[in-house]
Amino acid sequence: MRDAGDTAAEVDAAFRTQRRVALAHFAVFLLVLLAVPALTLVLGWWSEGRLVGGMSPAFVMTAVGLYVFFFVLAAAAASLAATVEHRMLGDQDPDPDPDPLP
């Protein structure tokens, strides 16, 4: 969000930083997403082993683990993006007076 006091250079710098953050989170997402089938090809116990209820580690990771990972990664990305935007753009007053009365 561009504030009236933000210059074009500040907005451009914030955009470039946000793009780097997004690409880094996408790389982590892609790495973990591709690790599940890669482990199936490389490790026999990943798909043949049995955990609680007779489920394989690959199934548990696909059915539950990836969704937990997606949620954590999305929360981290949103939090970092909001922090970057807050620090680089907008109101820079570190101590706003919430009570305007004397």
Side-chain angles (χ1 to χ4, degrees), residues 47-71:
S47 58
E48 296 169 4
R50 295 294 170 237
L51 298 175
V52 177
M55 297 181 286
S56 70
F59 180 82
V60 172
M61 181 63 177
T62 304
V64 179
L66 285 177
Y67 291 106
V68 171
F69 169 74
F70 294 158
F71 178 77

Side-chain angles (χ1 to χ4, degrees), residues 2 5 13 26 28 43 58 80 95 97 102:
R2 185 168 190 245
F26 175 71
V28 171
L43 301 174
L80 184 57
D95 186 28
D97 187 15

